[in-house]
Amino acid sequence: MTLQLRVSLAAACLAATACGVPESDSGMPESAIVPLPAFASLDVSPGGKATYDAAVAFRTTLSESQATKLILPIDSPLRRNWSNLPAGVTDFERNGLRLGDLQPDQLVALFTFLAAGLGQHGYDTVADVVTAEALLADSFLAGGFGWSATNYWLAFFGEPRADDAWGWQFGGHHLAINVSLDRGRVVSMSPSFIGIEPANYEFQGRHHAPFADELADGRTLMWALPGSLRDQALVGSRPREVRAGPGKDGVVPVPEGGIVADWPDDARGMLLDIVSHWLRLQPEENALPRLAAVEASLDDTRFAWHGAIEGEGDVYYRIQGPSLIIEFWSEDGVGDDGGHYHSIYRDPTNEYGGTL
């Protein structure tokens, strides 16, 4: 991160402190949120039906005023109000209900909903991101930035229905998941931002490194490419941030890197494995058809890489096809020395389930 950007963030932090960011010690304490319950303990079979059932169950725990805040119109432009930035430096209020304002039974129902709507890989990834936020909360900058595991929000867009369209959004710092359903099935998980800081950490005796495979698999793929194809994948410039991130709805980056149509079969399989890291954030019943669709257009997909292929150092890569944009970006940490990763998943042909 550049010195100029660090100074800008520090200034925003001080301004946010003056404006009154949600405090980590207001309402529910962080200790009631992290660690999130283990996926297996929530006893759900992820998928569209389970998502609907869990949404209805969560709503029954709420007061009428909470339910009104939770459920917004399906075509509300507020659905675009998501960001990877922490609560203290956004210029809008996030949608829905904040974890720190919920009661214990409501939190359990919310976590059950996330498990039903995401499946184990997605739920565990979200749990790792929120837990990392609890570590940032120990920083002297936390009060101004709003770094806290309590500062994550859940919103529904449209009344949950088993026979019609609706959607949900869960996010906060380094997290913005947008899922759309129609007649009991997920039809889109676009756009979804998943990042983390610290990216490598210990919490209550357990090691967490949720993006280690995404980083390692990218490097392995680059080594697997024959020399000329590897050279085609290399790009000379690295963006300061993911190009298709928050506030970039409708933006399709100029394709860069090597065209996958020229690749050998083993490299093509490795690329699909990398794509699956993001597709498996949703239940298998939706991830598998989506992976098949990506594979069908693999010849028209490009892979771009910037950074060291071995060892350490900042890395950026992008996988881009007719209905796919995946970006992965890394740098040194801002509030911790355990690394700082950003990623975005988009299907530019089906954002927000086509409701906006």
Side-chain angles (χ1 to χ4, degrees):
M1 175 171 289
T2 65
L3 176 60
Q4 180 181 5
L5 184 53
R6 288 184 185 276
V7 171
S8 298
L9 285 173
C13 172
L14 294 173
T17 302
C19 294
V21 180
E23 297 287 349
S24 61
D25 60 355
S26 65
M28 188 61 60
E30 284 196 338
S31 59
I33 296 171
V34 291
L36 272 66
F39 176 83
S41 71
L42 298 172
D43 192 27
V44 295
S45 298
K49 181 181 184 306
T51 304
Y52 166 72
D53 291 342
V56 172
F58 174 60
R59 184 178 177 178
T60 63
T61 70
L62 305 178
S63 68
E64 282 305 310
S65 61
Q66 286 178 312
T68 298
K69 194 170 184 179
L70 171 72
I71 303 174
L72 302 171
I74 191 171
D75 58 353
S76 170
L78 293 177
R79 201 168 184 180
R80 301 183 187 274
N81 279 7
W82 58 269
S83 175
N84 62 294
L85 293 175
V89 293
T90 57
D91 57 2
F92 57 82
E93 292 186 10
R94 283 185 164 93
N95 304 310
L97 298 175
R98 175 177 167 263
L99 295 190
D101 296 329
L102 300 178
Q103 297 303 309
D105 63 321
Q106 296 172 332
L107 283 173
V108 172
L110 185 149
F111 296 144
T112 301
F113 169 79
L114 291 177
L118 294 172
Q120 182 160 5
H121 176 65
Y123 178 83
D124 288 347
T125 301
V126 166
D128 282 341
V129 173
V130 176
T131 301
E133 191 74 1
L135 297 182
L136 288 183
D138 292 333
S139 167
F140 76 97
L141 294 172
F145 279 125
W147 286 335
S148 170
T150 64
N151 286 336
Y152 288 85
W153 285 258
L154 175 68
F156 292 168
F157 289 88
E159 189 80 33
R161 296 277 299 274
D163 59 353
D164 206 345
W166 65 289
W168 60 273
Q169 181 182 81
F170 182 73
H173 186 207
H174 282 141
L175 196 58
I177 297 174
N178 289 284
V179 176
S180 301
L181 301 95
D182 192 7
R183 287 166 286 185
R185 294 196 60 92
V186 174
V187 295
S188 178
M189 195 188 65
S190 177
S192 286
F193 185 106
I194 310 284
I196 194 166
E197 185 191 1
N200 193 328
Y201 64 91
E202 300 283 336
F203 185 80
Q204 295 187 356
R206 181 169 168 255
H207 183 68
H208 299 254
F211 280 94
D213 289 343
E214 286 84 337
L215 181 56
D217 290 354
R219 286 193 163 115
T220 300
L221 170 60
M222 284 296 288
W223 277 118
L225 289 173
S228 61
L229 297 181
R230 187 187 310 144
D231 290 343
Q232 292 173 22
L234 290 169
V235 294
S237 62
R238 164 190 166 87
R240 293 182 60 186
E241 181 54 275
V242 293
R243 298 186 187 278
K248 301 294 186 180
D249 290 349
V251 172
V252 177
V254 175
E256 295 181 293
I259 185 76
V260 179
D262 300 331
W263 287 14
D265 288 344
D266 61 340
R268 292 164 67 95
M270 289 179 183
L271 185 67
L272 287 174
D273 288 343
I274 295 174
V275 171
S276 73
H277 288 305
W278 279 269
L279 298 187
R280 288 189 301 111
L281 294 169
Q282 60 189 315
E284 189 175 84
E285 70 178 30
N286 311 108
L288 293 180
R290 181 74 181 113
L291 184 61
V294 171
E295 185 174 11
S297 61
L298 206 58
D299 283 352
D300 298 319
T301 300
R302 287 183 176 270
F303 179 73
W305 175 278
H306 182 277
I309 302 175
E310 61 180 345
E312 298 181 356
D314 296 340
V315 161
Y316 170 81
Y317 67 75
R318 182 163 86 243
I319 305 166
Q320 185 169 347
S323 66
L324 179 70
I325 301 170
I326 289 174
E327 296 180 86
F328 178 83
W329 175 97
S330 72
E331 68 161 11
D332 293 335
V334 177
D336 188 279
D337 60 3
H340 183 187
Y341 299 165
H342 289 180
S343 78
I344 188 75
Y345 163 86
R346 284 187 185 263
D347 174 356
T349 71
N350 189 15
E351 302 238 288
Y352 306 104
T355 59
L356 296 181

